[in-house]
Each structure stands twice: as structure tokens, then as C-alpha cells.
Amino acid sequence: MTLASTANADGVLIRDQMVAGRVVEINRQSLTIDLCDGKMVEFKWEVGLTLLVNSSCVSPSRAGLAVPESCDRNAGIGFDVGFRGRADPVHSEDVAFSQKTGFHISGATEVAHGPLSQVNYVRANSGCLDNAKFVVPSDFCVEPKQFAVNFSYDAPLPNRILTRGFSFYLETSQPFREPALAELREAIRGSFGTAINIWASDLWQRRDRYDKKLSSLLDGMASHSKDGFTMFIPPQVIALACPQTATFVIRVFSDPGPFARPPQKEILAAVAATPGRTILLNFNDYPCWKNALFKYVVDDATSCVNLVPILMHELGHAFGLLHEKEEIKSIMNPVILATTPSDTDLDRLAARLMEFTTGQPPGEIPFVDEGVAVRLK
């Protein structure tokens, strides 16, 4: 490969040869750089291959590159990550980088997210790990590593909002103290998961009516025993402590915030980007919210709002569905009376999932003038 020499460059060092460019993407399998002329080159990770990250307007330097350790050659590929101003690297099971989400590093029990500018180099090693030394810069966000069944951020259909796994980051307009914050996060996670489960399992029941790609995806969520039992596993939902990799942002407002309305306007309980990945919940006008499955929309005795049908409605918006004002039993009616989708809701969603949609990114909602008004009985 021809050596490139460029200012303001990162560099890939392989077998004592330096290829200069600008890092575009990193994942566990490879890294991609732009040779600064629009040409993209992908390098597969192999032991010793090193990415030198440069934050100044000079060619990449090998300064600060620690001597590699000798590890178990049967341990597979791992990574040394050298941070600026530190002599010893951090050993990582995985690394990733994108322009949108920044740099990510993974230990045995934790993951961390932060700016690539803090990184001096990333070098593939032969599986060196030291869980006791997973120490990252203070401006990195660190959270526990989570595991879920068949979890993936892959988007299998043209509607890119639907992924094989969902994660959300919870934001609150007012501070919540523990354990209240943990309880709220878990209530939302469970309700989000139930809402996705209902949408997916009800679609599965009608899968023969839909596009073959959608039908095949739904069939892949079900496993069948020899005794005739079927287990349905919809996309799983996890709650993250860091926002960088979350596919959804859920904002809880304990003050009026975007829900402030003139007296003649209906009070909105929730709003979602349509289509998109942001959901707003109105805890100011409706301070009591619960995960009540299918029992009610609003509890007569306590006036508590059930998160499940509300999130089911808002996820319908997130996928691109609009309000259905003419259908009382629709979960997409602006005044929710139902606790599960109607058949026409399912058919509309099935059609929307086959339309190409990217939607608003997590945390962005263009305006707030439509939502769901919950009617108190």
C-alpha cells in the first residue's frame, strides 16, 4: 500500500509501515480510515496493528506507545488503549468509534464512553485483560455491562426505528434521588418492554397477512418445542446509565416544560418524535405513573396513569404512525381508552415498517404540538 503523508492525521501502524489518514469508524472486527482524499480503507484487526490518534496538526507520532505485553495466544483479539498523559494502557475486550456516538471501550464488567481526542492509540493484542485496571479518563461515562437475549442494534426492515434490541437513557427535568430514580427507570424499562412485546406478539398473530420480510422477522422471534409449545421472544429493552449508545431518550418533566399550555388546550400526558427516538412524559400534570400491564389506562381510585398503553401509543408515533381520531378502540386514538392495539393499528404498523424511515435521532424532537391526552374518568 502506498504511504500517505498528511497533516492533521491519524495513522495506522502495521508491520512498521505507517498509513496516514482520518479515522472514520472502529468496531471489533476492523477500523476504517479516510486517506484524506475521500478514499476509504478498511483494516482488519490483527495482533500488533495499531491506530495512532492525532489531535494536533502534524503527522502521527509513535511517542507514548507502550511496549506490548505477552499474553495467551489462544485468548483471541483484545485491545490496548493508551490514553493521553498516561504511561500504562487499559486492556479492553472491545473498542468502537463513530462520529455520532464517540469512542467506546469495554472491560469485563463495565463499558465506558467518551471523546476520541482523549485516546493516544489503540493496539490489537492477543487477549490481554486486567479487570482491576479498567480506569478511564474522568470525563468518560462509565456504566455496568448488560446482557440480553438475542440483543442487537441491527435494523432488519426499511423502517430503521425498529431494531432487534432497544435501549433508552432516562432524563429528568428535576433531580430524582435514589432509590426513586432506580424505581422510575425500572418501571419505564418494564413498561417499554411490555409495549414492544404487545406490538410484536400481536403482529406475529397476523404475520401471514404481511410482507414476507416482516413475516420472516416475526417468525424468527418464536421458538417451538416438540410438545407444541411456542415461546415468543420480542426485541429486548435495557436501560442505560450513559446516553452515548442509547437508541431512545425518555424525558420526564416534573415541571410544565414543553407541556405548558393555555387554559383552553387539552393537557397532554406524553409526546413522541414522529418518527423518531424521543418520548416526553408529563409528570407535572400527572404525577403518578405505574406499570399496570393491561389493567387500566388511568386508575379510577388513585388517578395513576398506566405507562404501558401510553408507551405503546408513543412507540406507535416513534415508528411513524399518526393519530386515528375516528377509531375509538385504536391505541393511536388521541384519547386512549384501549390497552392493546386494534387489528387496524397492527395493519397500519405493518405497512409503516416496510417504508424506509430513519426518523429523528435520540434526544431530538422537532416540535411539541401533538401528543396523547389521557381522559380521567
Side-chain angles (χ1 to χ4, degrees), residues 7 23 51 79 90 121 164 244 283 348 358:
V23 63
L51 169 68
F79 301 91
V90 174
Y121 66 88
R164 295 183 185 273
Q244 284 88 345
F283 276 44
R348 283 190 287 261
T358 56

Side-chain angles (χ1 to χ4, degrees), residues 286 295-301 303 335-339 374-377:
Y286 298 101
K295 294 180 181 179
Y296 53 77
V297 177
V298 179
D299 183 22
D300 291 336
S303 296
V335 179
I336 299 179
L337 299 176
T339 55
V374 174
R375 178 177 292 158
L376 298 179
K377 296 181 180 179

Side-chain angles (χ1 to χ4, degrees), residues 60-304:
S61 170
R62 302 184 193 187
L65 187 60
V67 176
E69 299 180 35
S70 177
C71 306
D72 181 1
R73 291 289 172 178
N74 297 318
I77 291 288
F79 301 91
D80 297 328
V81 179
F83 290 104
R84 299 191 182 282
R86 299 189 181 189
D88 297 327
V90 174
H91 298 316
S92 175
E93 290 184 336
D94 201 358
V95 290
F97 169 75
S98 75
Q99 298 291 341
K100 288 184 178 180
T101 63
F103 182 73
H104 314 282
I105 181 173
S106 174
T109 61
E110 295 178 310
V111 293
H113 321 274
L116 186 64
S117 60
Q118 293 276 15
V119 177
N120 186 28
Y121 66 88
V122 178
R123 176 174 53 206
N125 64 39
S126 55
C128 300
L129 287 176
D130 187 345
N131 299 335
K133 296 181 179 179
F134 188 74
V135 180
V136 298
S138 59
D139 56 351
F140 271 54
C141 183
V142 180
E143 62 184 340
K145 184 181 287 186
Q146 299 191 57
F147 302 92
V149 177
N150 294 330
F151 189 92
S152 168
Y153 286 144
D154 290 343
L157 298 176
N159 187 315
R160 312 304 287 176
I161 310 296
L162 177 68
T163 51
R164 295 183 185 273
F166 292 86
S167 61
F168 72 90
Y169 177 69
L170 175 63
E171 295 179 349
T172 61
S173 66
Q174 302 291 332
F176 274 68
R177 293 184 178 180
E178 299 291 359
L181 181 61
E183 291 173 356
L184 174 60
R185 186 182 290 113
E186 178 56 27
I188 292 174
R189 188 206 62 78
S191 301
F192 195 138
T194 300
I196 287 292
N197 191 343
I198 294 170
W199 274 119
S201 59
D202 285 5
L203 283 172
W204 181 80
Q205 297 285 351
R206 297 169 66 82
R207 63 194 182 281
D208 292 342
R209 299 168 176 261
Y210 303 140
D211 185 282
K212 290 182 179 180
K213 288 185 178 179
L214 175 56
S215 179
S216 176
L217 174 67
L218 294 167
D219 269 332
M221 297 178 186
S223 59
H224 308 278
S225 72
K226 294 180 180 179
D227 299 326
F229 293 100
T230 298
M231 176 180 289
F232 186 79
I233 303 177
Q236 302 297 292
V237 177
I238 60 174
L240 299 181
C242 298
Q244 284 88 345
T245 59
T247 57
F248 271 75
V249 168
I250 296 182
R251 293 195 180 110
V252 169
F253 288 88
S254 300
D255 50 34
F259 292 99
R261 286 291 185 272
Q264 69 274 17
K265 291 278 189 177
E266 286 184 311
I267 297 174
L268 304 181
V271 170
T274 310
R277 299 169 178 83
T278 308
I279 296 174
L280 315 182
L281 299 177
N282 182 358
F283 276 44
N284 181 62
D285 294 293
Y286 298 101
C288 179
W289 296 69
K290 294 183 177 180
N291 179 349
L293 299 177
F294 322 108
K295 294 180 181 179
Y296 53 77
V297 177
V298 179
D299 183 22
D300 291 336
T302 64
S303 296
C304 289

